[in-house]
Amino acid sequence: MGEGNGLEPGIYRYVAEEHALTQEIPGDMREKLAGAALSQPMVSKAPVSLAISAVYPRMTGKYGKRGIRYANMEAGHAAQNIYLLGVELGIGTCAIGAFEDDDVKKVLKLPANEEPLYILPLGYI
Ligand SMILES: Cc1cc2nc3c(=O)[nH]c(=O)nc-3n(C[C@H](O)[C@H](O)[C@H](O)COP(=O)(O)O)c2cc1C
């Protein structure tokens, strides 16, 4: 989101199929994202934040309503891996679940069927 190394400030989407980032919105959006997350200062200050989202219909189409549980579990696993990698690299994080879903969706311009689950600000400690 912010002063990344080699990336212009902006909002990027991770495209798993290509293991690539595509810029969705240019510009430093940290204040806006923090505003959607109860003005938690980690979000406005961290050089980068990772947002984890879910498209539940992708999971419920296959697993029925248990798919919601599976998507949430997977988000937890991904966040835990970010914590673990952070320990390895000396980068701190703080998993954030307290935010206004609709406001985060607007800031990140998420499609209607994509739900934000976590914001993980990253920074050196
Ligand atoms: C699902 C979930 C949501 C959380 N949301 C927030 C949050 O919005 N703000 C916050 O400060 N901490 C939040 N936390 C807690 C932090 O991620 C962190 O675990 C906590 O601050 C303990 O860190 P510490 O052991 O370094 O004190 C959340 C934790 C979990 C598991």
Side-chain angles (χ1 to χ4, degrees):
M1 292 264 320
E3 317 101 34
N5 187 7
L7 275 183
E8 293 297 314
I11 290 178
Y12 293 79
R13 178 178 283 276
Y14 174 64
V15 184
E17 297 82 2
E18 296 162 28
H19 187 48
L21 291 175
T22 56
Q23 194 187 67
E24 301 285 312
I25 308 167
D28 186 343
M29 302 293 285
R30 289 179 293 178
E31 288 295 340
K32 279 195 177 151
L33 187 60
L38 315 184
S39 298
Q40 295 188 68
M42 305 81 91
V43 182
S44 52
K45 289 190 180 139
V48 63
S49 286
L50 303 180
I52 299 177
S53 60
V55 180
Y56 288 122
R58 285 192 198 155
M59 296 294 277
T60 53
K62 187 167 182 186
Y63 300 110
K65 69 177 185 190
R66 288 186 81 79
I68 293 171
R69 180 193 297 218
Y70 294 157
N72 292 341
M73 286 173 171
E74 182 65 21
H77 298 166
Q80 186 65 45
N81 277 319
I82 291 164
Y83 268 91
L84 292 173
L85 200 58
V87 171
E88 176 75 16
L89 299 174
I91 295 173
T93 189
C94 175
I96 289 184
F99 49 74
E100 298 290 344
D101 294 347
D102 288 343
D103 294 347
V104 170
K105 284 175 87 155
K106 267 185 214 147
V107 173
L108 300 181
K109 290 209 168 78
L110 296 183
N113 67 353
E114 188 166 339
E115 301 302 326
L117 298 179
Y118 257 144
I119 299 170
L120 293 124
L122 305 180
Y124 284 101
I125 46 178

